[in-house]
Amino acid sequence: MNLTQSQHDIITAPLDTRFFLSGPSGSGKTTVGVERMRFLLEQGVPAESILVLTPQRTLQEPYKALLQSPAIGAGGEVTLATVGGLARRMVDLFWSLAAEPAGFAHADQPPVFLTLETAQYYMSHVVRPLLDEGYFESLTINRNRLYSQIIDNLNKAAVVGFPHSQIGERLDKAWMGDPSQRRIYADAQDCANRFRQYCLDHNLLDFSLQLEIFWEHLWGDSIVHDYLTRTYRHLIYDNVEEDGARAHDIIREWLPDLDSALLIYDENAGYRRFLGADPETGFRLSTFCDTQTFLAESFVTSAGVQNLSSSLASVIDPSIAPPPEGIDELDEVLQYADTHYYPELLDWLTDEIATLLEEGIPPSEIVVLAPYLSDALRFSLMHRLEARNIPVRSHRPSRSLRDEPATQSLLTLAALAHPQWGIRPSEFDVAYALMQAIDGMDLIRANLLTKIVYRASGQDLSPFDGIKPEVQERITYVFGAHYTELRDWLLAYREQAEVPPFDHFLRKLFGEILSQPGFGFHRDLDAARVAASLIESVKKFRWAMASSEADALTLGREYIAMLNEGVIAAQYLGAWNMESED
């Protein structure tokens, strides 16, 4: 790898150096972090003594790629974590030290760690009765959004470092509108208090409670502090600016005990401010490091794009001087279209992409960003690109699992396999599920087949052989054979004496039927990814509900109800890692 002298100097610095490295995006800062980790390992530093911290798990991919490569020999394992992940590990490891001081009702029993989904499930359990009593009656918002907003307030309080009991007061002080609406903040505070007490009563730990316990009860404990300082002697902390103030406080106190540290700060970033990121406290960490280094040259941004960035910044903030080239020199990097109709804009965009491909730019280096990627926009644009044989994939990490066609198909088939749930899918849902489940079946044939074989009252599917021959020919015998195979599998599952956990059912359905030749998920990698995310989501839900002693049938029905309320899926790395060859 070709490195600049500045990069090389940081990477090969003595093993007792604390660096604060800053620079614009694309200046090779993460490359320095990855190569510094390689250098430490090559110098004989034990891998288990190296800690790599990032604000999000997705930012760990460059480090993970190196650790999984053949270039790294056998030995210990470098710890890749977020501050939240580190807090969870310490809470799990030192639970006996924190449980009673934190106020848990069952300190002698193990904790149950909640995901975003299961936290929303328990929040709905607490808040739903209050809504019926008139809480938030002047507020127009979907219930699932309300649950997630209260949880978000708790998380921000923990990340920033103020008591959760001040949420309502701080929201109220920031309100400038109708005074009568201030009751909403009192309702939000009461819901947050009730949820926190429910967690303490049942040994449940959401993200905010994990972070608070780590900071308030474990970080200052001599046993925990000694364990961390003895275990981790070298720190690489990437994207410092995207983390919260409390995380920066922990690192500030930890730095004197480390043998070496490399803190990487991205200039003009901190885009997660709305999630609690604090670039200012992150930059203050530079004063606690031995050496401050700035990488000014960007390896990925052209001079024209840099001028465009400076020009936009000068328009937003007049105190910033515009680039000397001026805005007239930006035609090479900025094209602007103002169309009258929506399809015209998509046609223009498709033509621009095709032109870039003709100029030799790989498809993998082209990205289309939208403030909101609706189903209509996604379908319209992808259809235009695919019609011109342009490879494309979409990425919507915040999209609810229930909105994915693969999820809808799986859940409809699950309802047909579990009549005990009392969930009766509509004819359209069944037709749509068959269209997704059987490879190549169109909606017209799926709808015709469903009208003949499906009875919602009993959730029964009649055999394909009972259909009139002329109708069988319209549906085709190939589709009929795959339908018969799917129906026989569902009937055989119904006859089982014991109902397995819901995620086990989904694994069997995917592995034994839907992923086989002739079925819809066989060649659809996107559907397989969604199925994997759904199975992981159900599994984590089952783990979080283990203390409820509910049976598998009840848990499956509860999960369906939760998903139908619009609870979004937690962030699954598979959705970010799906990198095709081009």
Side-chain angles (χ1 to χ4, degrees):
M1 177 180 293
N2 295 324
L3 300 169
T4 66
Q5 188 60 46
S6 298
Q7 288 177 309
H8 183 269
D9 291 343
I10 300 171
I11 293 168
T12 59
L15 302 186
D16 59 352
T17 308
R18 298 178 184 85
F19 268 102
F20 187 89
L21 174 61
S22 60
S25 176
S27 58
K29 301 184 301 299
T30 295
T31 299
V32 171
V34 173
E35 292 304 313
R36 176 65 172 177
M37 181 179 68
R38 186 203 299 269
F39 177 78
L40 293 174
L41 294 172
E42 290 175 346
Q43 296 302 304
V45 173
E48 58 272 14
S49 70
I50 302 174
L51 173 64
V52 177
L53 284 179
T54 59
Q56 293 174 277
R57 291 167 62 196
T58 52
L59 298 173
Q60 298 166 6
E61 291 307 304
Y63 299 91
K64 187 181 298 182
L66 175 62
L67 293 174
Q68 293 175 347
S69 69
I72 302 299
E77 185 175 351
V78 174
T79 299
L80 304 179
T82 63
V83 171
L86 186 65
R88 171 172 175 160
R89 296 183 190 193
M90 295 303 101
V91 171
D92 195 17
L93 186 60
F94 296 100
W95 170 248
S96 58
L97 295 178
E100 188 171 346
F104 285 92
H106 307 284
D108 58 331
Q109 298 179 11
V112 177
F113 295 97
L114 303 180
T115 65
L116 173 61
E117 296 165 333
T118 50
Q120 289 192 75
Y121 171 78
Y122 284 111
M123 180 65 76
S124 68
H125 177 79
V126 171
V127 175
R128 192 182 293 116
L130 301 178
L131 296 177
D132 298 334
E133 295 176 8
Y135 277 54
F136 304 104
E137 61 183 358
S138 62
L139 188 64
T140 303
I141 188 174
N142 292 332
R143 289 193 173 191
N144 65 294
R145 291 300 305 157
L146 178 61
Y147 304 149
S148 65
Q149 285 295 322
I150 299 172
I151 291 172
D152 186 51
N153 287 333
L154 285 166
N155 292 344
K156 286 178 180 175
V159 167
V160 175
F162 64 85
H164 76 277
S165 56
Q166 296 181 7
I167 290 174
E169 175 187 348
R170 288 170 177 261
L171 290 173
D172 183 72
K173 287 182 178 179
W175 177 247
M176 302 294 291
D178 185 353
S180 63
Q181 289 292 91
R182 289 182 170 176
R183 179 190 168 187
I184 292 174
Y185 302 129
D187 292 345
Q189 181 66 72
D190 189 42
C191 291
N193 293 342
R194 288 171 183 256
F195 176 72
R196 175 57 58 85
Q197 190 58 49
Y198 186 88
C199 290
L200 295 175
D201 291 342
H202 296 85
N203 280 27
L204 305 176
L205 284 88
D206 67 325
F207 172 80
S208 65
L209 196 47
Q210 294 169 36
L211 203 58
E212 284 187 20
I213 292 174
F214 176 60
W215 175 253
E216 296 176 4
H217 300 285
L218 294 180
W219 175 248
D221 189 282
S222 58
I223 297 176
V224 179
H225 197 271
D226 182 61
Y227 171 83
L228 286 171
T229 54
R230 283 189 297 105
T231 302
Y232 302 116
R233 305 302 308 162
H234 303 270
L235 171 67
I236 298 174
Y237 189 10
D238 204 344
N239 289 102
V240 171
E241 77 289 340
E242 302 295 346
D243 235 333
R246 179 163 276 178
H248 299 148
D249 290 341
I250 292 172
I251 300 303
R252 185 190 71 243
E253 294 185 12
W254 199 347
L255 277 173
D257 296 318
L258 293 167
D259 291 340
S260 77
L262 173 60
L263 276 55
I264 300 174
Y265 182 94
D266 198 348
E267 295 280 343
N268 301 318
Y271 301 113
R272 299 174 75 239
R273 285 176 183 264
F274 66 98
L275 292 176
D278 195 333
E280 286 78 13
T281 58
F283 190 76
R284 288 188 205 127
L285 291 175
S286 62
T287 60
F288 299 92
C289 296
D290 305 326
T291 306
Q292 295 81 35
T293 303
F294 182 80
L295 298 180
E297 181 184 357
S298 176
F299 296 100
V300 298
T301 308
S302 66
V305 172
Q306 291 178 351
N307 289 335
L308 172 61
S309 175
S310 300
S311 299
L312 290 174
S314 66
V315 172
I316 297 171
D317 185 356
S319 64
I320 300 176
E325 291 81 358
I327 196 69
D328 295 334
E329 305 295 328
L330 300 176
D331 292 342
E332 294 182 2
V333 296
L334 175 65
Q335 288 79 42
Y336 181 82
D338 184 10
T339 61
H340 190 68
Y341 294 107
Y342 188 71
E344 293 177 352
L345 176 63
L346 297 181
D347 291 338
W348 174 84
L349 179 59
T350 304
D351 291 337
E352 286 293 312
I353 293 173
T355 301
L356 292 175
L357 295 178
E358 292 173 358
E359 294 174 355
I361 297 177
S364 58
E365 295 184 6
I366 301 174
V367 61
V368 179
L369 295 178
Y372 173 66
L373 186 57
S374 65
D375 289 332
L377 174 58
R378 177 179 180 271
F379 174 81
S380 299
L381 182 56
M382 294 189 72
H383 177 72
R384 283 171 168 79
L385 294 173
E386 290 169 353
R388 299 176 71 159
N389 296 319
I390 299 174
V392 59
R393 59 185 172 89
S394 66
H395 180 52
R396 291 180 286 185
S398 62
R399 178 177 167 88
S400 174
L401 269 178
R402 70 170 182 169
D403 295 331
E404 298 288 353
T407 298
Q408 295 171 9
S409 175
L410 287 166
L411 296 184
T412 299
L413 295 175
L416 295 176
H418 299 87
Q420 312 95 312
W421 286 348
I423 301 174
R424 298 178 179 178
S426 65
E427 283 190 0
F428 176 79
D429 288 337
V430 175
Y432 194 73
L434 291 177
M435 183 185 72
Q436 295 290 327
I438 299 176
D439 189 20
M441 177 174 274
D442 56 80
L443 187 57
I444 295 176
R445 288 185 174 87
N447 188 54
L448 176 61
L449 177 61
T450 301
K451 287 183 177 298
I452 298 172
V453 302
Y454 177 59
R455 296 294 177 269
S457 57
Q459 294 178 252
D460 295 323
L461 293 171
S462 58
F464 185 76
D465 294 341
I467 302 176
K468 296 179 180 179
E470 57 271 21
V471 180
Q472 287 183 346
E473 291 182 2
R474 287 183 60 189
I475 298 172
T476 76
Y477 292 101
V478 173
F479 292 150
H482 294 315
Y483 162 75
T484 300
E485 188 177 351
L486 175 61
R487 174 181 178 272
D488 290 345
W489 190 93
L490 293 174
L491 292 178
Y493 175 83
R494 282 190 185 188
E495 295 173 359
Q496 291 184 163
E498 185 176 350
V499 178
F502 186 31
D503 53 309
H504 293 191
F505 163 80
L506 293 173
R507 288 179 186 273
K508 288 172 62 68
L509 176 61
F510 176 82
E512 297 177 6
I513 288 293
L514 298 182
S515 63
Q516 300 302 311
F519 290 91
F521 291 29
H522 180 58
R523 300 183 184 277
D524 191 339
L525 298 180
D526 190 58
R529 175 189 56 79
V530 172
S533 296
L534 179 63
I535 291 170
E536 184 180 353
S537 172
V538 175
K539 179 179 66 176
K540 289 183 177 179
F541 179 76
R542 173 168 58 86
W543 288 351
M545 295 292 291
S547 60
S548 68
E549 299 182 355
D551 58 28
L553 193 65
T554 301
L555 287 179
R557 183 170 58 242
E558 284 289 315
Y559 182 85
I560 298 291
M562 181 185 71
L563 207 62
N564 286 337
E565 281 196 5
V567 175
I568 66 171
Q571 184 186 82
Y572 295 101
L573 294 185
W576 292 81
N577 296 341
M578 190 184 62
E579 298 289 344
S580 59
E581 291 184 357
D582 197 358

